[in-house]
Amino acid sequence: MVRKPTSKETARKPNMREAILAAAEELFATNGFNAVSVRDIAQAAGANPGSVTYHFKTKDGLLLEIYRRHCGPMNLRRSELLAAAKRVRDLQDRLEAVVRAYVAPAFTSGSDLAGGGARFTRLRAVMSAEGNEVARKIIAQTFDDTSHAFIDAIHDSLPHVPRTDIVWRSHFLLGALYYSLVTPDRVSRLSRGEADGSDAASAIEQLVQASVAAFQAPALDQAAPARRRPVVSSKT
Amino acid sequence: MVRKPTSKETARKPNMREAILAAAEELFATNGFNAVSVRDIAQAAGANPGSVTYHFKTKDGLLLEIYRRHCGPMNLRRSELLAAAKRVRDLQDRLEAVVRAYVAPAFTSGSDLAGGGARFTRLRAVMSAEGNEVARKIIAQTFDDTSHAFIDAIHDSLPHVPRTDIVWRSHFLLGALYYSLVTPDRVSRLSRGEADGSDAASAIEQLVQASVAAFQAPALDQAAPARRRPVVSSKT
DNA sequence: ATGTGATTTGTACTATCGTACAAAAGATCA
DNA sequence: TGATCTTTTGTACGATAGTACAAATCACAT
């Protein structure tokens, strides 16, 4: 808010503002918005509750700033990756490259803003599930452009599949991605320890392969007529 | 809690207990657990806040009871549908039938307990995203059996795909299913009105077709060697 | 009708919430 | 050093949270 670049404004001290943002991001992403109090965040950041009010005015303002900080670099990075993927000549390779460009940045760890990062992606998943108003507004006006770009790119690789189907499948992809970040332990549990749901590389490969196959599925209108639809009835 | 079947215990009056359960289910499913107060629930049910305490003791107890009421009938119904699906002889038809048996009950509307229903499924999605403790315990001890049964059934139809891959893909399926129930409007928006994300029939068909294709994807270990992995780099 | 147990109501208690604000502390430059 | 600005601290306030509980009300068997 306050503009005053006195001398070295870069990280004057341990930089409380950043610590608060990081702590809030982590707590919101794992517990949801309402389950976390401003005091929880302050404590996790080693700050005073009043500091949060000072830097971000309100709790909503804090969430807003988390989104703001990520969206720019993340969308930039994504459009770079998408542009590179679209340059792949082979149609099938291109599809996979595009899907990978969509999936991979969501799993990056650490604090690199550019990637978007697993933490911020998980935050978005949780906010979306909670129907958070602040998040809803930002998402509609910031992420839809990127989503459309990816949908178009995928549609270019699969011209025979109607755009509507692509939209549905990309929606499923995002849901799968979100869920993988939200409950990775479930994968470990259901595979009886044979798979590690927390392993980003595995998650990316599995998700890319499964999604590519899903995108390549025949169009819905054409799927049915050739084969009879199996009808199932229980004996209730 | 209290056992006393005096005369007609079935719906003596408007039945407050049921109204509270229904209201809580709806509110929790759309706003999350912590965003909804006991007073909100009481008001939505046309009840007094004290009534909630009387019937369910605590807010956690209320959530617990919501789960309890659904889990039994829902798992029963699911195993019926699964058993019927496993009777399909053709291998590919059986796969689709099994997936459909998994997906369809999650989208049933109305208040039929058996189906599980869209509302309860959405509730589970939101609780899962919020990392709700009450839900986490119930899920691990109630849903994992059903999940394993479905995973095994799918694996039977796809013996050449490692179980680990099936687990991942079924995880993606559940994530996609959850997300479709949480933000159906996103589908409508991204398709520019061409698709209706709230239409259960469309969602089911799209999800079944996409998931079947995903399950049928080649095993991960075998996917790479035959084809070169497209490597993409941005110019950053 | 009356007594009895099951509900519903109204209210109150304590804890914690988000936020405000004055004072203290720290930093920067004349 | 002293003036000025930014940041941190400590505390407090009103609102609302979950829950408890006594009183009122209801349903029904006798």
PDB file of all heavy atoms in Angstrom, chain D residues 13-25:
ATOM      1  P    DC D  13     -12.463  -1.813  26.647  1.00  0.00           P
ATOM      2  OP1  DC D  13     -12.587  -0.665  27.564  1.00  0.00           O
ATOM      3  OP2  DC D  13     -12.612  -3.189  27.167  1.00  0.00           O
ATOM      4  O5'  DC D  13     -13.484  -1.603  25.456  1.00  0.00           O
ATOM      5  C5'  DC D  13     -13.077  -0.904  24.274  1.00  0.00           C
ATOM      6  C4'  DC D  13     -13.859  -1.432  23.090  1.00  0.00           C
ATOM      7  O4'  DC D  13     -13.111  -2.466  22.429  1.00  0.00           O
ATOM      8  C3'  DC D  13     -15.198  -2.056  23.481  1.00  0.00           C
ATOM      9  O3'  DC D  13     -16.225  -1.532  22.680  1.00  0.00           O
ATOM     10  C2'  DC D  13     -14.992  -3.541  23.258  1.00  0.00           C
ATOM     11  C1'  DC D  13     -13.966  -3.544  22.136  1.00  0.00           C
ATOM     12  N1   DC D  13     -13.145  -4.785  22.074  1.00  0.00           N
ATOM     13  C2   DC D  13     -12.903  -5.409  20.839  1.00  0.00           C
ATOM     14  O2   DC D  13     -13.372  -4.899  19.816  1.00  0.00           O
ATOM     15  N3   DC D  13     -12.166  -6.538  20.801  1.00  0.00           N
ATOM     16  C4   DC D  13     -11.667  -7.054  21.936  1.00  0.00           C
ATOM     17  N4   DC D  13     -10.944  -8.168  21.847  1.00  0.00           N
ATOM     18  C5   DC D  13     -11.905  -6.439  23.201  1.00  0.00           C
ATOM     19  C6   DC D  13     -12.641  -5.318  23.223  1.00  0.00           C
ATOM     20  P    DG D  14     -17.692  -1.466  23.266  1.00  0.00           P
ATOM     21  OP1  DG D  14     -18.135  -0.066  23.241  1.00  0.00           O
ATOM     22  OP2  DG D  14     -17.746  -2.255  24.513  1.00  0.00           O
ATOM     23  O5'  DG D  14     -18.512  -2.249  22.150  1.00  0.00           O
ATOM     24  C5'  DG D  14     -18.407  -1.831  20.787  1.00  0.00           C
ATOM     25  C4'  DG D  14     -18.582  -3.035  19.888  1.00  0.00           C
ATOM     26  O4'  DG D  14     -17.519  -3.983  20.118  1.00  0.00           O
ATOM     27  C3'  DG D  14     -19.893  -3.809  20.100  1.00  0.00           C
ATOM     28  O3'  DG D  14     -20.524  -3.950  18.843  1.00  0.00           O
ATOM     29  C2'  DG D  14     -19.458  -5.123  20.724  1.00  0.00           C
ATOM     30  C1'  DG D  14     -18.063  -5.284  20.137  1.00  0.00           C
ATOM     31  N9   DG D  14     -17.173  -6.135  20.912  1.00  0.00           N
ATOM     32  C8   DG D  14     -16.949  -6.097  22.264  1.00  0.00           C
ATOM     33  N7   DG D  14     -16.082  -6.987  22.675  1.00  0.00           N
ATOM     34  C5   DG D  14     -15.714  -7.662  21.515  1.00  0.00           C
ATOM     35  C6   DG D  14     -14.797  -8.733  21.325  1.00  0.00           C
ATOM     36  O6   DG D  14     -14.120  -9.318  22.167  1.00  0.00           O
ATOM     37  N1   DG D  14     -14.717  -9.095  19.990  1.00  0.00           N
ATOM     38  C2   DG D  14     -15.428  -8.512  18.972  1.00  0.00           C
ATOM     39  N2   DG D  14     -15.223  -9.005  17.754  1.00  0.00           N
ATOM     40  N3   DG D  14     -16.285  -7.520  19.129  1.00  0.00           N
ATOM     41  C4   DG D  14     -16.371  -7.145  20.427  1.00  0.00           C
ATOM     42  P    DA D  15     -21.930  -4.694  18.770  1.00  0.00           P
ATOM     43  OP1  DA D  15     -22.779  -3.882  17.880  1.00  0.00           O
ATOM     44  OP2  DA D  15     -22.383  -5.047  20.133  1.00  0.00           O
ATOM     45  O5'  DA D  15     -21.551  -6.035  18.000  1.00  0.00           O
ATOM     46  C5'  DA D  15     -20.588  -5.984  16.943  1.00  0.00           C
ATOM     47  C4'  DA D  15     -20.345  -7.384  16.409  1.00  0.00           C
ATOM     48  O4'  DA D  15     -19.342  -8.041  17.226  1.00  0.00           O
ATOM     49  C3'  DA D  15     -21.579  -8.298  16.431  1.00  0.00           C
ATOM     50  O3'  DA D  15     -21.649  -8.998  15.208  1.00  0.00           O
ATOM     51  C2'  DA D  15     -21.347  -9.208  17.632  1.00  0.00           C
ATOM     52  C1'  DA D  15     -19.825  -9.273  17.711  1.00  0.00           C
ATOM     53  N9   DA D  15     -19.315  -9.441  19.074  1.00  0.00           N
ATOM     54  C8   DA D  15     -19.675  -8.725  20.181  1.00  0.00           C
ATOM     55  N7   DA D  15     -19.051  -9.089  21.272  1.00  0.00           N
ATOM     56  C5   DA D  15     -18.219 -10.118  20.853  1.00  0.00           C
ATOM     57  C6   DA D  15     -17.289 -10.933  21.538  1.00  0.00           C
ATOM     58  N6   DA D  15     -17.036 -10.820  22.840  1.00  0.00           N
ATOM     59  N1   DA D  15     -16.631 -11.859  20.822  1.00  0.00           N
ATOM     60  C2   DA D  15     -16.890 -11.964  19.511  1.00  0.00           C
ATOM     61  N3   DA D  15     -17.737 -11.261  18.756  1.00  0.00           N
ATOM     62  C4   DA D  15     -18.374 -10.344  19.505  1.00  0.00           C
ATOM     63  P    DT D  16     -22.944  -9.879  14.886  1.00  0.00           P
ATOM     64  OP1  DT D  16     -23.213  -9.714  13.454  1.00  0.00           O
ATOM     65  OP2  DT D  16     -23.989  -9.627  15.905  1.00  0.00           O
ATOM     66  O5'  DT D  16     -22.399 -11.361  15.103  1.00  0.00           O
ATOM     67  C5'  DT D  16     -21.137 -11.726  14.575  1.00  0.00           C
ATOM     68  C4'  DT D  16     -20.641 -12.997  15.233  1.00  0.00           C
ATOM     69  O4'  DT D  16     -20.213 -12.713  16.585  1.00  0.00           O
ATOM     70  C3'  DT D  16     -21.708 -14.097  15.368  1.00  0.00           C
ATOM     71  O3'  DT D  16     -21.209 -15.256  14.747  1.00  0.00           O
ATOM     72  C2'  DT D  16     -21.872 -14.259  16.876  1.00  0.00           C
ATOM     73  C1'  DT D  16     -20.506 -13.838  17.366  1.00  0.00           C
ATOM     74  N1   DT D  16     -20.434 -13.457  18.799  1.00  0.00           N
ATOM     75  C2   DT D  16     -19.518 -14.077  19.599  1.00  0.00           C
ATOM     76  O2   DT D  16     -18.747 -14.931  19.190  1.00  0.00           O
ATOM     77  N3   DT D  16     -19.508 -13.661  20.915  1.00  0.00           N
ATOM     78  C4   DT D  16     -20.332 -12.710  21.484  1.00  0.00           C
ATOM     79  O4   DT D  16     -20.236 -12.420  22.675  1.00  0.00           O
ATOM     80  C5   DT D  16     -21.289 -12.098  20.588  1.00  0.00           C
ATOM     81  C7   DT D  16     -22.226 -11.050  21.107  1.00  0.00           C
ATOM     82  C6   DT D  16     -21.288 -12.486  19.305  1.00  0.00           C
ATOM     83  P    DA D  17     -22.159 -16.490  14.416  1.00  0.00           P
ATOM     84  OP1  DA D  17     -22.120 -16.701  12.970  1.00  0.00           O
ATOM     85  OP2  DA D  17     -23.447 -16.286  15.112  1.00  0.00           O
ATOM     86  O5'  DA D  17     -21.396 -17.692  15.122  1.00  0.00           O
ATOM     87  C5'  DA D  17     -20.023 -17.893  14.798  1.00  0.00           C
ATOM     88  C4'  DA D  17     -19.331 -18.654  15.902  1.00  0.00           C
ATOM     89  O4'  DA D  17     -19.120 -17.769  17.027  1.00  0.00           O
ATOM     90  C3'  DA D  17     -20.125 -19.820  16.467  1.00  0.00           C
ATOM     91  O3'  DA D  17     -19.800 -20.987  15.726  1.00  0.00           O
ATOM     92  C2'  DA D  17     -19.607 -19.923  17.890  1.00  0.00           C
ATOM     93  C1'  DA D  17     -19.202 -18.497  18.230  1.00  0.00           C
ATOM     94  N9   DA D  17     -20.152 -17.767  19.069  1.00  0.00           N
ATOM     95  C8   DA D  17     -21.229 -17.026  18.655  1.00  0.00           C
ATOM     96  N7   DA D  17     -21.884 -16.453  19.624  1.00  0.00           N
ATOM     97  C5   DA D  17     -21.210 -16.858  20.761  1.00  0.00           C
ATOM     98  C6   DA D  17     -21.405 -16.599  22.125  1.00  0.00           C
ATOM     99  N6   DA D  17     -22.400 -15.819  22.580  1.00  0.00           N
ATOM    100  N1   DA D  17     -20.544 -17.158  23.008  1.00  0.00           N
ATOM    101  C2   DA D  17     -19.565 -17.921  22.539  1.00  0.00           C
ATOM    102  N3   DA D  17     -19.263 -18.242  21.283  1.00  0.00           N
ATOM    103  C4   DA D  17     -20.139 -17.667  20.440  1.00  0.00           C
ATOM    104  P    DG D  18     -20.811 -22.206  15.787  1.00  0.00           P
ATOM    105  OP1  DG D  18     -20.409 -23.120  14.717  1.00  0.00           O
ATOM    106  OP2  DG D  18     -22.182 -21.679  15.848  1.00  0.00           O
ATOM    107  O5'  DG D  18     -20.485 -22.873  17.204  1.00  0.00           O
ATOM    108  C5'  DG D  18     -19.175 -23.348  17.467  1.00  0.00           C
ATOM    109  C4'  DG D  18     -19.112 -23.907  18.871  1.00  0.00           C
ATOM    110  O4'  DG D  18     -19.418 -22.855  19.806  1.00  0.00           O
ATOM    111  C3'  DG D  18     -20.115 -25.030  19.141  1.00  0.00           C
ATOM    112  O3'  DG D  18     -19.497 -26.050  19.913  1.00  0.00           O
ATOM    113  C2'  DG D  18     -21.236 -24.337  19.896  1.00  0.00           C
ATOM    114  C1'  DG D  18     -20.509 -23.222  20.627  1.00  0.00           C
ATOM    115  N9   DG D  18     -21.364 -22.041  20.823  1.00  0.00           N
ATOM    116  C8   DG D  18     -22.125 -21.399  19.871  1.00  0.00           C
ATOM    117  N7   DG D  18     -22.789 -20.381  20.335  1.00  0.00           N
ATOM    118  C5   DG D  18     -22.457 -20.332  21.676  1.00  0.00           C
ATOM    119  C6   DG D  18     -22.883 -19.430  22.700  1.00  0.00           C
ATOM    120  O6   DG D  18     -23.662 -18.480  22.605  1.00  0.00           O
ATOM    121  N1   DG D  18     -22.297 -19.742  23.927  1.00  0.00           N
ATOM    122  C2   DG D  18     -21.417 -20.772  24.137  1.00  0.00           C
ATOM    123  N2   DG D  18     -20.965 -20.916  25.382  1.00  0.00           N
ATOM    124  N3   DG D  18     -21.017 -21.621  23.192  1.00  0.00           N
ATOM    125  C4   DG D  18     -21.579 -21.339  21.998  1.00  0.00           C
ATOM    126  P    DT D  19     -20.266 -27.401  20.180  1.00  0.00           P
ATOM    127  OP1  DT D  19     -19.271 -28.482  20.378  1.00  0.00           O
ATOM    128  OP2  DT D  19     -21.342 -27.553  19.184  1.00  0.00           O
ATOM    129  O5'  DT D  19     -20.918 -27.087  21.598  1.00  0.00           O
ATOM    130  C5'  DT D  19     -20.071 -26.662  22.663  1.00  0.00           C
ATOM    131  C4'  DT D  19     -20.893 -26.190  23.831  1.00  0.00           C
ATOM    132  O4'  DT D  19     -21.610 -24.979  23.483  1.00  0.00           O
ATOM    133  C3'  DT D  19     -21.959 -27.180  24.327  1.00  0.00           C
ATOM    134  O3'  DT D  19     -21.581 -27.615  25.621  1.00  0.00           O
ATOM    135  C2'  DT D  19     -23.262 -26.366  24.336  1.00  0.00           C
ATOM    136  C1'  DT D  19     -22.760 -24.933  24.289  1.00  0.00           C
ATOM    137  N1   DT D  19     -23.684 -23.934  23.700  1.00  0.00           N
ATOM    138  C2   DT D  19     -24.131 -22.888  24.480  1.00  0.00           C
ATOM    139  O2   DT D  19     -23.802 -22.754  25.646  1.00  0.00           O
ATOM    140  N3   DT D  19     -24.971 -22.010  23.851  1.00  0.00           N
ATOM    141  C4   DT D  19     -25.404 -22.059  22.533  1.00  0.00           C
ATOM    142  O4   DT D  19     -26.156 -21.212  22.084  1.00  0.00           O
ATOM    143  C5   DT D  19     -24.903 -23.175  21.767  1.00  0.00           C
ATOM    144  C7   DT D  19     -25.302 -23.333  20.336  1.00  0.00           C
ATOM    145  C6   DT D  19     -24.067 -24.053  22.379  1.00  0.00           C
ATOM    146  P    DA D  20     -22.420 -28.804  26.305  1.00  0.00           P
ATOM    147  OP1  DA D  20     -21.433 -29.718  26.899  1.00  0.00           O
ATOM    148  OP2  DA D  20     -23.441 -29.311  25.389  1.00  0.00           O
ATOM    149  O5'  DA D  20     -23.145 -28.012  27.487  1.00  0.00           O
ATOM    150  C5'  DA D  20     -22.405 -27.047  28.209  1.00  0.00           C
ATOM    151  C4'  DA D  20     -23.312 -26.321  29.189  1.00  0.00           C
ATOM    152  O4'  DA D  20     -24.056 -25.289  28.478  1.00  0.00           O
ATOM    153  C3'  DA D  20     -24.359 -27.203  29.875  1.00  0.00           C
ATOM    154  O3'  DA D  20     -24.437 -26.844  31.242  1.00  0.00           O
ATOM    155  C2'  DA D  20     -25.653 -26.881  29.126  1.00  0.00           C
ATOM    156  C1'  DA D  20     -25.438 -25.433  28.724  1.00  0.00           C
ATOM    157  N9   DA D  20     -26.134 -25.047  27.489  1.00  0.00           N
ATOM    158  C8   DA D  20     -26.122 -25.695  26.293  1.00  0.00           C
ATOM    159  N7   DA D  20     -26.827 -25.114  25.350  1.00  0.00           N
ATOM    160  C5   DA D  20     -27.339 -23.991  25.971  1.00  0.00           C
ATOM    161  C6   DA D  20     -28.176 -22.949  25.512  1.00  0.00           C
ATOM    162  N6   DA D  20     -28.647 -22.871  24.276  1.00  0.00           N
ATOM    163  N1   DA D  20     -28.505 -21.972  26.398  1.00  0.00           N
ATOM    164  C2   DA D  20     -28.017 -22.050  27.646  1.00  0.00           C
ATOM    165  N3   DA D  20     -27.225 -22.982  28.191  1.00  0.00           N
ATOM    166  C4   DA D  20     -26.921 -23.928  27.285  1.00  0.00           C
ATOM    167  P    DC D  21     -25.109 -27.867  32.289  1.00  0.00           P
ATOM    168  OP1  DC D  21     -24.268 -27.847  33.508  1.00  0.00           O
ATOM    169  OP2  DC D  21     -25.421 -29.142  31.607  1.00  0.00           O
ATOM    170  O5'  DC D  21     -26.484 -27.119  32.609  1.00  0.00           O
ATOM    171  C5'  DC D  21     -26.499 -25.695  32.658  1.00  0.00           C
ATOM    172  C4'  DC D  21     -27.928 -25.185  32.752  1.00  0.00           C
ATOM    173  O4'  DC D  21     -28.373 -24.750  31.441  1.00  0.00           O
ATOM    174  C3'  DC D  21     -28.955 -26.232  33.207  1.00  0.00           C
ATOM    175  O3'  DC D  21     -29.878 -25.610  34.072  1.00  0.00           O
ATOM    176  C2'  DC D  21     -29.615 -26.658  31.911  1.00  0.00           C
ATOM    177  C1'  DC D  21     -29.637 -25.328  31.178  1.00  0.00           C
ATOM    178  N1   DC D  21     -29.794 -25.441  29.708  1.00  0.00           N
ATOM    179  C2   DC D  21     -30.419 -24.407  29.005  1.00  0.00           C
ATOM    180  O2   DC D  21     -30.817 -23.417  29.634  1.00  0.00           O
ATOM    181  N3   DC D  21     -30.575 -24.518  27.662  1.00  0.00           N
ATOM    182  C4   DC D  21     -30.137 -25.601  27.026  1.00  0.00           C
ATOM    183  N4   DC D  21     -30.299 -25.659  25.713  1.00  0.00           N
ATOM    184  C5   DC D  21     -29.492 -26.670  27.717  1.00  0.00           C
ATOM    185  C6   DC D  21     -29.343 -26.545  29.048  1.00  0.00           C
ATOM    186  P    DA D  22     -30.482 -26.492  35.288  1.00  0.00           P
ATOM    187  OP1  DA D  22     -29.512 -26.435  36.403  1.00  0.00           O
ATOM    188  OP2  DA D  22     -30.956 -27.788  34.773  1.00  0.00           O
ATOM    189  O5'  DA D  22     -31.740 -25.598  35.685  1.00  0.00           O
ATOM    190  C5'  DA D  22     -31.603 -24.192  35.775  1.00  0.00           C
ATOM    191  C4'  DA D  22     -32.820 -23.500  35.173  1.00  0.00           C
ATOM    192  O4'  DA D  22     -32.783 -23.672  33.730  1.00  0.00           O
ATOM    193  C3'  DA D  22     -34.151 -24.084  35.633  1.00  0.00           C
ATOM    194  O3'  DA D  22     -35.080 -23.032  35.865  1.00  0.00           O
ATOM    195  C2'  DA D  22     -34.591 -24.954  34.468  1.00  0.00           C
ATOM    196  C1'  DA D  22     -34.025 -24.166  33.289  1.00  0.00           C
ATOM    197  N9   DA D  22     -33.777 -24.983  32.094  1.00  0.00           N
ATOM    198  C8   DA D  22     -33.187 -26.215  32.037  1.00  0.00           C
ATOM    199  N7   DA D  22     -33.097 -26.699  30.816  1.00  0.00           N
ATOM    200  C5   DA D  22     -33.670 -25.718  30.023  1.00  0.00           C
ATOM    201  C6   DA D  22     -33.876 -25.626  28.633  1.00  0.00           C
ATOM    202  N6   DA D  22     -33.506 -26.585  27.769  1.00  0.00           N
ATOM    203  N1   DA D  22     -34.483 -24.509  28.163  1.00  0.00           N
ATOM    204  C2   DA D  22     -34.837 -23.560  29.025  1.00  0.00           C
ATOM    205  N3   DA D  22     -34.691 -23.532  30.365  1.00  0.00           N
ATOM    206  C4   DA D  22     -34.094 -24.652  30.792  1.00  0.00           C
ATOM    207  P    DA D  23     -36.470 -23.362  36.589  1.00  0.00           P
ATOM    208  OP1  DA D  23     -36.551 -22.471  37.749  1.00  0.00           O
ATOM    209  OP2  DA D  23     -36.626 -24.830  36.749  1.00  0.00           O
ATOM    210  O5'  DA D  23     -37.513 -22.882  35.489  1.00  0.00           O
ATOM    211  C5'  DA D  23     -37.312 -21.627  34.846  1.00  0.00           C
ATOM    212  C4'  DA D  23     -38.133 -21.583  33.571  1.00  0.00           C
ATOM    213  O4'  DA D  23     -37.545 -22.481  32.594  1.00  0.00           O
ATOM    214  C3'  DA D  23     -39.587 -22.028  33.738  1.00  0.00           C
ATOM    215  O3'  DA D  23     -40.438 -21.070  33.150  1.00  0.00           O
ATOM    216  C2'  DA D  23     -39.653 -23.375  33.020  1.00  0.00           C
ATOM    217  C1'  DA D  23     -38.568 -23.222  31.977  1.00  0.00           C
ATOM    218  N9   DA D  23     -37.971 -24.481  31.521  1.00  0.00           N
ATOM    219  C8   DA D  23     -37.399 -25.457  32.287  1.00  0.00           C
ATOM    220  N7   DA D  23     -36.945 -26.477  31.605  1.00  0.00           N
ATOM    221  C5   DA D  23     -37.246 -26.153  30.288  1.00  0.00           C
ATOM    222  C6   DA D  23     -37.012 -26.831  29.071  1.00  0.00           C
ATOM    223  N6   DA D  23     -36.405 -28.017  28.986  1.00  0.00           N
ATOM    224  N1   DA D  23     -37.426 -26.225  27.923  1.00  0.00           N
ATOM    225  C2   DA D  23     -38.035 -25.028  28.016  1.00  0.00           C
ATOM    226  N3   DA D  23     -38.305 -24.295  29.104  1.00  0.00           N
ATOM    227  C4   DA D  23     -37.873 -24.921  30.216  1.00  0.00           C
ATOM    228  P    DA D  24     -42.039 -21.258  33.284  1.00  0.00           P
ATOM    229  OP1  DA D  24     -42.600 -19.905  33.517  1.00  0.00           O
ATOM    230  OP2  DA D  24     -42.355 -22.374  34.197  1.00  0.00           O
ATOM    231  O5'  DA D  24     -42.437 -21.689  31.801  1.00  0.00           O
ATOM    232  C5'  DA D  24     -42.068 -20.834  30.722  1.00  0.00           C
ATOM    233  C4'  DA D  24     -42.360 -21.530  29.406  1.00  0.00           C
ATOM    234  O4'  DA D  24     -41.526 -22.698  29.290  1.00  0.00           O
ATOM    235  C3'  DA D  24     -43.808 -22.008  29.249  1.00  0.00           C
ATOM    236  O3'  DA D  24     -44.287 -21.574  27.983  1.00  0.00           O
ATOM    237  C2'  DA D  24     -43.698 -23.536  29.327  1.00  0.00           C
ATOM    238  C1'  DA D  24     -42.293 -23.777  28.804  1.00  0.00           C
ATOM    239  N9   DA D  24     -41.649 -25.010  29.276  1.00  0.00           N
ATOM    240  C8   DA D  24     -41.392 -25.363  30.566  1.00  0.00           C
ATOM    241  N7   DA D  24     -40.786 -26.524  30.695  1.00  0.00           N
ATOM    242  C5   DA D  24     -40.636 -26.965  29.392  1.00  0.00           C
ATOM    243  C6   DA D  24     -40.062 -28.131  28.847  1.00  0.00           C
ATOM    244  N6   DA D  24     -39.513 -29.091  29.584  1.00  0.00           N
ATOM    245  N1   DA D  24     -40.071 -28.259  27.500  1.00  0.00           N
ATOM    246  C2   DA D  24     -40.628 -27.275  26.765  1.00  0.00           C
ATOM    247  N3   DA D  24     -41.196 -26.134  27.166  1.00  0.00           N
ATOM    248  C4   DA D  24     -41.167 -26.034  28.504  1.00  0.00           C
ATOM    249  P    DT D  25     -45.870 -21.824  27.660  1.00  0.00           P
ATOM    250  OP1  DT D  25     -46.307 -20.661  26.871  1.00  0.00           O
ATOM    251  OP2  DT D  25     -46.597 -22.240  28.890  1.00  0.00           O
ATOM    252  O5'  DT D  25     -45.804 -23.085  26.695  1.00  0.00           O
ATOM    253  C5'  DT D  25     -44.909 -23.079  25.578  1.00  0.00           C
ATOM    254  C4'  DT D  25     -44.852 -24.457  24.971  1.00  0.00           C
ATOM    255  O4'  DT D  25     -44.167 -25.368  25.851  1.00  0.00           O
ATOM    256  C3'  DT D  25     -46.224 -25.100  24.698  1.00  0.00           C
ATOM    257  O3'  DT D  25     -46.335 -25.281  23.306  1.00  0.00           O
ATOM    258  C2'  DT D  25     -46.189 -26.411  25.482  1.00  0.00           C
ATOM    259  C1'  DT D  25     -44.699 -26.645  25.629  1.00  0.00           C
ATOM    260  N1   DT D  25     -44.257 -27.496  26.768  1.00  0.00           N
ATOM    261  C2   DT D  25     -43.617 -28.684  26.514  1.00  0.00           C
ATOM    262  O2   DT D  25     -43.387 -29.087  25.393  1.00  0.00           O
ATOM    263  N3   DT D  25     -43.237 -29.380  27.640  1.00  0.00           N
ATOM    264  C4   DT D  25     -43.445 -29.014  28.953  1.00  0.00           C
ATOM    265  O4   DT D  25     -43.072 -29.722  29.882  1.00  0.00           O
ATOM    266  C5   DT D  25     -44.134 -27.757  29.148  1.00  0.00           C
ATOM    267  C7   DT D  25     -44.403 -27.270  30.543  1.00  0.00           C
ATOM    268  C6   DT D  25     -44.504 -27.058  28.054  1.00  0.00           C
TER     269       DT D  25
END
